[in-house]
Every structure is written in C-alpha cells, then in structure tokens.
Amino acid sequence: MSNVNFIFIQIFGMTATVFLCVSYMVKSKKKFLFLGLLGDIIYGLTFIFVNSWGAGIITLLSCCQFVFVLIYLNKQKQLPKFIAFLFVTLFLIVGCVTLSNVWDIIPMIIYCFYTMALYYEDIKKIKLVYLVSNLLLVVYDIMVMAYANAFEDCVESICLFNVVFIDFIKSKKIFRGEIISATLKKFILLRGTKTFGFCLQSSSVEVKTSNNHNFNNSLKHASSTNQCLVYKYG
C-alpha cells in the first residue's frame, strides 16, 4: 500500500469516526441513524478500498438496514421482525464465507447487536448496546493487529461512554428532583389555624409533572385514607 493510499484511508477513517461520535451526542433516533449511516458508508468504502471485502460488505449491509429503519421511522411504524432476521442471516453468511480466524466471529456478533438495538425506541438504550459493541470492536482490532482502527474505535468508545454516563447521571438527578418537587408541594402551612399536612405518597403522574394543585382541595379526604398525615399544634 502506498503512502498516499494510507493517508487517504486514515482521513476516511477519522471522518467516519467524527460522524459516529456526533451521532452519539444527538437525542433524536432519526438523526442518530442518519449520522450513523453516513459514518458506516465511509467505513464500508474504506474497508473495500483496502480489499477487506468481508468487513466492507457487512458494513454496507448495515447501511441498507439503517435505510430500512429510517423509512419505517418516517412512516411511524415498527420495523418488521422478518427484516431484522434477514439482515442477521446475511451478516452471518457473509461473516462465515469470509472467516479467516476465530476473531472474525466478533464482527458478526457486533452487527447482530446493532440489529437488536435498532428495535429500541429509547435512544439511551440504543447507545448502551452500541457501547458494548464498540468495546468488542476495540478488542477485535487489537487481536487482528489493526491498531489504527483500534485507535479510532477507542475514541468512539470513550465518546460514547461519556455520553451514556452523563445521560445516566442526568436521569438520576431529574428523577430525584421530580420526587422531591412532587412531595414538597404536598406540604402546606396554614398560619391562621396552625395546621399543616404532609402527604407521604405521590402518584406517578404527580412525580412526572410535579402537579399537586389539587392538594389543598383533597387534604381532608386524603387524611381519612391514610395517604396524608395532618397535624395541629399550638
């Protein structure tokens, strides 16, 4: 391979890495798939350019799968399971035909994981599956001594790990904040009568919306059903 070809391949690889890293930062499944599609097209063509036909064909097949998912997503329909079964079968066939060592089983498993992830509506779950797959891909690159690819996939994995970790922390903080907000709004203090009430339970709707506007009207009823405790002092 000439130095010029090597430089072009690295440029293509880094460009694909940028597209995929950006895709991990978006919150829309449609944008995630579109950016992932662009990244995989570049990756697939790069593999074919270096005569790695097995990896190139599997990657381009994955691009076709992305197109199907985007089509059904625009129609607001779930991707039929037979399409997923079809692509998984194609991944396994291409992988078995081009199998050269035991480590080549890893890409077959990875793309089966990718197919499974596309059925999730929650983008956070998709990213989590992709994180596991990317870590496996780093192991594969190292085992087959594709160190340049290992570096690029490692960058992707670090980026994706940060996104998943930040999403996890945010979700915990938001959930705690919703519980606290929904509960504190049920605490009332009536100075004139020196009566206060504190509700021990918050409904799921109230936790999600922090909406307790009807609490004052329902305090007496709630206290009779052991949902709230009402105290008098002074």
Side-chain angles (χ1 to χ4, degrees):
M1 183 186 299
S2 67
N3 290 333
V4 175
N5 288 344
F6 178 80
I7 292 172
F8 273 116
I9 290 169
Q10 299 312 311
I11 291 174
F12 290 157
M14 291 304 298
T15 303
T17 300
V18 170
F19 274 118
L20 293 175
C21 287
V22 173
S23 74
Y24 301 144
M25 298 177 188
V26 302
K27 297 182 179 180
S28 165
K29 183 177 179 180
K30 188 179 295 185
K31 291 180 180 178
F32 172 81
L33 292 172
F34 180 73
L35 291 169
L37 172 63
L38 295 178
D40 272 1
I41 288 175
I42 297 173
Y43 264 139
L45 294 176
T46 303
F47 283 132
I48 291 175
F49 188 70
V50 297
N51 296 321
S52 181
W53 291 95
I57 292 172
I58 289 178
T59 305
L60 293 178
L61 280 174
S62 178
C63 294
C64 296
Q65 184 175 226
F66 277 168
V67 171
F68 273 103
V69 176
L70 284 169
I71 290 173
Y72 277 90
L73 197 60
N74 285 329
K75 294 180 179 180
Q76 297 183 339
K77 293 182 179 180
Q78 180 72 28
L79 184 71
K81 292 184 178 180
F82 79 88
I83 293 181
F85 177 78
L86 173 64
F87 278 103
V88 168
T89 303
L90 290 173
F91 292 148
L92 294 176
I93 290 174
V94 174
C96 289
V97 170
T98 60
L99 193 70
S100 59
N101 58 64
V102 68
W103 298 111
D104 286 340
I105 297 175
I106 293 179
M108 298 161 56
I109 297 173
I110 289 173
Y111 279 95
C112 289
F113 281 170
Y114 287 160
T115 301
M116 178 187 70
L118 295 178
Y119 276 85
Y120 288 124
E121 294 298 328
D122 188 350
I123 189 69
K124 294 179 182 178
K125 292 182 179 179
I126 297 176
K127 291 176 182 178
L128 185 60
V129 175
Y130 268 61
L131 175 60
V132 175
S133 301
N134 279 11
L135 292 174
L136 286 174
L137 195 56
V138 172
V139 173
Y140 171 75
D141 291 335
I142 293 173
M143 291 292 88
V144 298
M145 295 183 290
Y147 298 118
N149 288 345
F151 174 77
E152 294 167 0
D153 291 331
C154 190
V155 171
E156 281 184 44
S157 299
I158 293 172
C159 176
L160 186 51
F161 175 81
N162 289 332
V163 171
V164 170
F165 182 74
I166 291 171
D167 285 344
F168 175 77
I169 296 299
K170 284 183 178 179
S171 65
K172 288 296 182 182
K173 287 184 178 179
I174 291 173
F175 185 68
R176 284 188 62 190
E178 287 173 345
I179 293 177
I180 292 171
S181 178
T183 304
L184 289 181
K185 282 188 177 182
K186 287 196 170 182
F187 178 80
I188 62 170
L189 178 63
L190 303 176
R191 293 182 179 178
T193 60
K194 294 184 179 181
T195 302
F196 70 89
F198 187 81
C199 186
L200 298 178
Q201 296 180 355
S202 295
S203 68
S204 59
V205 174
E206 290 167 340
V207 170
K208 291 179 180 178
T209 63
S210 295
N211 183 10
N212 292 298
H213 297 304
N214 295 325
F215 176 67
N216 291 332
N217 297 329
S218 61
L219 178 59
K220 292 182 180 179
H221 173 72
S223 63
S224 65
T225 59
N226 289 328
Q227 291 181 346
C228 293
L229 298 178
V230 180
Y231 300 94
K232 290 185 179 181
Y233 65 95

